[in-house]
Amino acid sequence: QAVDCDTFKTPDFKKGRLKEVSGIDFDSRGRMYAHPDNGQYIFRYKARCAERGECKRDKEIKLPRYYHQMEDMSIEGCIDNPKDECIYIGDVGKGGTNDIIIYNLRTEKFSYKRFQKRKNKDTEAMVVYRDVEAAHIVLIHKDSEGSVEYKKY
């Protein structure tokens, strides 16, 4: 059952630290995670909150440093252990570090991958998917060519 956008209540998305939501995804237990374009936190919301139309934050995950260009997030099996779920956040916007910040939801530990994207590309979207071979990361750029970059780990 769809929830009317006008009745969806999540105060974080209207003001405060998530005024500009840049990434959002759900883990296998139905908990929603979100992060702003710049900042030092990932916010977790109670399971199935989107279905109920009201999301209350129940955890803040502090990143190791402040990031300025976190453009998107994806939750998928971890690179080193596909049975664990990891949050992948791309600090890949123009002027970002080009880091893919990886947070293991089970161990609560961070790791990183550096994505050597082409110079002066303004990346706006990222997706991560797993298959039996590896984790795959795709970056989509905002440019006249509509370019896409791909990396397999």
Side-chain angles (χ1 to χ4, degrees), residues 6-72:
D6 291 337
T7 64
F8 192 85
K9 295 181 182 90
T10 303
D12 281 356
F13 292 177
K14 292 184 179 174
K15 59 185 178 186
R17 295 189 289 183
L18 265 175
K19 194 162 49 172
E20 183 183 344
V21 178
S22 227
I24 188 169
D25 204 354
F26 294 84
D27 68 12
S28 61
R29 294 168 58 185
R31 296 176 298 192
M32 183 174 75
Y33 293 80
H35 68 80
D37 186 52
N38 52 52
Q40 196 169 358
Y41 290 92
I42 303 166
F43 301 102
R44 185 180 80 189
Y45 297 85
K46 292 185 176 187
R48 310 281 179 231
C49 72
E51 294 168 22
R52 291 190 305 273
E54 186 168 354
C55 290
K56 291 192 167 68
R57 185 178 345 136
D58 69 355
K59 185 173 184 176
E60 293 183 3
I61 301 165
K62 187 172 183 180
L63 298 169
R65 59 173 287 229
Y66 190 94
Y67 289 92
H68 296 281
Q69 289 295 320
M70 297 187 296
E71 291 298 337
D72 211 346

Side-chain angles (χ1 to χ4, degrees), residues 105-135:
L105 291 172
R106 183 183 60 79
T107 66
E108 298 186 343
K109 294 196 178 266
F110 286 97
S111 60
Y112 303 88
K113 294 291 182 193
R114 176 60 55 101
F115 207 105
Q116 296 297 330
K117 65 181 184 147
R118 292 187 303 241
K119 214 172 187 174
N120 296 321
K121 289 293 178 185
D122 190 6
T123 304
E124 289 295 326
M126 177 191 79
V127 68
V128 178
Y129 67 94
R130 275 210 66 90
D131 60 18
V132 292
E133 294 178 15

Side-chain angles (χ1 to χ4, degrees), residues 3 25 29 61 83 86 99-100 105 112 115 134 138 141 153:
V3 174
D25 204 354
R29 294 168 58 185
I61 301 165
K83 292 181 181 179
C86 279
D99 283 345
I100 306 297
L105 291 172
Y112 303 88
F115 207 105
V138 179
H141 305 302
Y153 292 100

